[in-house]
Amino acid sequence: MKTDIEIAQEAQLSPIGEVAAQLGITADELELYGKYKAKLSDELMERVKENPDGKLILVTAINPTPAGEGKTTTSIGLAQAFGRMGKKAVLALREPSLGPCFGIKGGAAGGGYAQVVPMEDLNLHFTGDFHAITSANNLLAALLDNHIQQGNALGIDPRQVVWKRCLDMNDRVLRNIVVGLGSKMDGMVREDHFVITVASEVMAVLCLADDMEDLKRRLGRMIVAYTFDGKPVTADDLHATGAMAALLKDALKPNLIQTLEHTPAIVHGGPFANIAHGCNSVRATKTALKLADYVVTEAGFGADLGAEKFFDIKCRMAGLKPDAVVLVATVRALKYNGGVAKSDLGQENLEALKKGIVNLEKHIENLQKYGVPVVVTLNSFLTDTQAETDYVESFCRERGCEFALSEVWEKGGAGGIALAEQVLKTLEEKESHFAPIYEDGLSLQEKIKTVAREIYGAAGVSYSPAALKELKRIEDLGMGDFPVCMAKTQYSLSDDQTKLGRPAGFTVNVREVYVSAGAGFVVAVTGAIMTMPGLPRVPAANNIDVDENGRITGLF
């Protein structure tokens, strides 16, 4: 089988105007970035805003394992299958971060014959959205430090600066730094920090904003520091909002590309799900719903992170109502959860499958708590046996879930027809009664406890003294009605990545809390999660190159 990048580079792409025409988008409503990429204009979004909404289908997954699950691949293949069936469908996905591309995870364009293209452009720079977000974030940081240097009229306490600089790269040495070293003219010496761009509040704000007016309102209320007497200082206080919005003017517009089978794909925004809210932009999703009958979107990592935040943060804020959920699993990943070594996953092992399927069981239970119909799909591998597949199907149907096999990696849209047919049947026969898992009026600690117990299966929650102090301050500032955004490892339902399957009796440990006042949620950092990841011992960057003809190799 060819590599993903070979398949992508051999594909015959349609001009982006032809892809847009499938959705009734005219040439004048596109802002072109070459032949195969475009941004959707504000005029288009204004024109279609009164159109009826299509059906919203969320694709999520079990906890990721080294065996691979294929959530994005399944999302793309499902949309391609809808296209093959003559349905008017569109994808709504996130943009990849450079950090994982050069680290261990790789890109986020799908795989095999279910990819979005141009794959290299998407994974490397794309239309510059992340550069704009990074620049806006760091402009605010520069204005903050300059204000302190130029007399500090606001009385900012340098020990209570909470705004961090950002970079879209895995660079562990920037997690904790000292700035202002040198002469008096080089600024106030203080401790500072970096987060990866996809964990920046500017990313969250851009992805949750409805329009430019809402974007500026959200940017303006972001808290950057506290004064000596404990009062919050915002971007508005630093007169930073207008300039930041100017940098984000084009980044606010969703991007249009295509799949290998020319299905339209709106790709916009990219907050991580383990340290941020994990969904593409509200603008992209809402626009997609106005343009197509079926919208396939995804949420990052496992359903305990991505789906929970999609439901409890994005849908709550944007008024979205998902019509169905596709839950992706693989036989290999379930056996890995059952204790099988990665090297042995190709061998039939029903006992390990039965032991590890409890991870899938918990995710099914969680999704059903939100009142949304669930379809489980097995991303097929050649080493899967009929007995293993039959066992998973029977297990799912006993729990009130529909089931379908997916072969989109190998066969593209043709391999997703069975899944697409099952999703359509579910949409026809089952009504969504979606509701978030907790009410706005609960205290922040009650919201955290609800997610920890109901979604993770924890016995309880513990807090560091600093986290408790910050929770009180946030509620005293009048932001106790915000939803919570849990920063947690993606590899386990617990906050300990070594606990596979369905752990029980554990305590979730909240070590840090901070408010994202512009985004409108409170972040609770658990376990050993880092908001600036590091590179592995052998980074993927080691294998990426460009030949004499400008052809990129080694990207996956």
Side-chain angles (χ1 to χ4, degrees):
M1 178 97 176
K2 296 173 181 175
T3 65
D4 290 349
I5 194 168
E6 288 172 339
I7 292 170
Q9 289 174 339
E10 292 175 5
Q12 296 296 313
L13 277 63
S14 296
I16 197 63
E18 294 180 9
V19 176
Q22 298 178 49
L23 301 174
I25 301 171
T26 67
D28 289 341
E29 293 170 328
L30 296 176
E31 297 176 6
L32 299 179
Y33 282 64
K35 294 180 181 179
Y36 307 116
K37 298 174 291 183
K39 281 192 170 287
L40 303 179
S41 69
D42 293 335
E43 290 76 15
L44 167 67
M45 286 177 269
E46 181 65 24
R47 176 174 69 81
V48 302
K49 68 179 183 180
E50 300 302 328
N51 288 0
D53 285 345
K55 297 291 187 180
L56 181 58
I57 303 154
L58 174 69
V59 179
T60 186
I62 62 172
N63 292 99
T65 69
E69 288 68 52
K71 172 171 53 64
T72 302
T73 302
T74 301
S75 302
I76 297 165
L78 174 58
Q80 291 182 160
F82 280 140
R84 282 177 174 260
M85 296 167 68
K87 305 297 182 182
K88 191 176 183 181
V90 64
L91 274 165
L93 302 178
R94 294 176 299 161
E95 300 176 48
S97 165
L98 287 176
C101 284
F102 295 125
I104 194 169
K105 180 178 176 290
Y113 289 92
Q115 295 188 58
V116 282
V117 284
M119 179 260 224
E120 306 99 312
D121 291 9
L122 176 62
N123 283 315
L124 305 175
H125 301 304
F126 199 28
T127 57
D129 292 346
F130 283 20
H131 165 74
I133 291 166
T134 302
S135 299
N137 182 100
N138 294 342
L139 170 63
L140 180 55
L143 290 169
L144 169 62
D145 279 310
N146 184 63
H147 181 88
I148 296 172
Q149 171 73 8
Q150 302 292 354
N152 198 5
L154 292 172
I156 294 169
D157 184 350
R159 299 162 300 179
Q160 294 194 76
V161 172
V162 296
W163 191 254
K164 298 177 175 65
R165 288 169 163 81
C166 75
L167 183 72
D168 191 33
M169 198 61 63
N170 292 0
D171 195 347
R172 70 180 79 241
V173 302
L174 293 178
R175 289 172 184 162
N176 305 290
I177 61 172
V178 176
V179 296
L181 294 174
S183 71
K184 183 178 180 182
M185 295 303 297
D186 295 322
M188 173 77 70
V189 177
R190 65 176 184 85
E191 183 180 355
D192 201 0
H193 312 271
F194 270 77
V195 298
I196 193 165
T197 296
V198 287
S200 164
E201 186 178 356
V202 179
M203 173 67 82
V205 162
L206 181 111
C207 288
L208 292 169
D210 283 321
D211 50 31
M212 177 56 74
E213 183 181 1
D214 188 30
L215 176 70
K216 291 172 72 173
R217 183 166 50 247
R218 289 175 177 274
L219 290 172
R221 69 185 188 219
M222 294 188 306
I223 295 174
V224 298
Y226 293 88
T227 64
F228 285 105
D229 55 359
K231 294 178 180 178
V233 178
T234 66
D236 266 351
D237 293 330
L238 291 170
H239 306 290
T241 304
M244 294 176 72
L247 285 170
L248 297 169
K249 176 178 70 72
D250 292 325
L252 185 61
K253 299 170 184 175
N255 308 291
L256 181 69
I257 52 175
Q258 63 191 285
T259 72
L260 290 174
E261 299 181 12
H262 316 302
T263 308
I266 300 176
V267 184
H268 193 220
F272 276 177
N274 57 347
I275 50 180
H277 77 278
C279 312
N280 71 330
S281 76
V282 166
R283 292 196 99 197
T285 304
K286 284 188 171 181
T287 302
L289 287 167
K290 298 299 183 183
L291 292 170
D293 298 326
Y294 300 96
V295 175
V296 179
T297 191
E298 67 163 4
F301 292 126
D304 55 318
L305 288 168
E308 186 273 315
K309 294 171 182 180
F310 180 87
F311 292 145
D312 288 322
I313 296 176
K314 180 175 179 177
C315 290
R316 182 195 303 267
M317 291 188 184
L320 297 171
K321 180 184 176 185
D323 295 285
V325 179
V326 174
L327 177 58
V328 181
T330 66
V331 166
R332 291 166 59 87
L334 294 175
K335 288 190 290 190
Y336 184 86
N337 269 284
V340 175
K342 185 179 177 181
S343 58
D344 297 328
L345 292 173
Q347 302 171 20
E348 181 176 280
N349 191 330
L350 285 171
E351 287 306 309
L353 181 61
K354 292 174 183 178
K355 183 179 178 183
I357 204 168
V358 293
N359 186 266
L360 174 63
E361 179 182 44
K362 177 57 175 165
H363 288 296
I364 290 172
E365 291 175 9
N366 288 349
L367 294 171
Q368 289 174 336
K369 290 176 182 180
Y370 289 95
V372 183
V374 180
V375 178
V376 174
T377 187
L378 268 186
N379 192 10
S380 177
F381 282 74
L382 292 175
T383 54
D384 298 348
T385 68
Q386 191 63 49
E388 290 172 329
T389 301
D390 288 346
Y391 175 76
V392 177
E393 178 174 1
S394 175
F395 184 91
C396 294
R397 295 199 185 281
E398 287 172 2
R399 284 152 183 80
C401 285
E402 303 301 335
F403 177 88
L405 201 62
S406 170
E407 299 175 290
V408 299
W409 182 84
E410 180 185 3
K411 301 177 182 178
I417 297 293
L419 173 58
E421 288 177 341
Q422 187 59 72
V423 170
L424 290 173
K425 183 173 181 287
T426 299
L427 290 171
E428 291 171 3
E429 297 179 354
K430 296 185 179 182
E431 185 178 351
S432 174
H433 299 285
F434 168 72
I437 200 74
Y438 56 78
E439 298 294 330
D440 292 339
L442 290 179
S443 70
L444 292 173
Q445 285 195 49
E446 284 294 325
K447 291 170 185 172
I448 292 170
K449 183 171 72 173
T450 299
V451 174
R453 287 186 173 177
E454 295 293 327
I455 304 302
Y456 307 157
V461 182
S462 66
Y463 297 88
S464 70
L468 288 172
K469 183 178 179 181
E470 191 61 24
L471 283 169
K472 182 179 185 306
R473 173 156 72 172
I474 293 167
E475 291 186 332
D476 288 345
L477 289 171
M479 291 178 275
D481 60 340
F482 282 7
V484 293
C485 181
M486 304 292 288
K488 181 184 76 71
T489 178
Q490 65 269 34
Y491 298 114
S492 171
L493 284 160
S494 75
D495 59 351
D496 178 352
Q497 69 177 40
T498 65
K499 296 183 185 297
L500 302 180
R502 184 175 181 168
F506 62 91
T507 298
V508 170
N509 302 290
V510 177
R511 61 180 173 83
E512 180 186 355
V513 172
Y514 59 90
V515 64
S516 292
F521 54 67
V522 173
V523 181
V525 183
T526 71
I529 197 72
M530 293 291 180
T531 53
M532 169 56 85
L535 291 170
R537 183 177 297 276
V538 183
N542 291 10
N543 300 312
I544 297 173
D545 202 353
V546 183
D547 67 19
E548 63 275 12
N549 298 313
R551 194 176 183 88
I552 294 173
T553 59
L555 191 63
F556 67 96

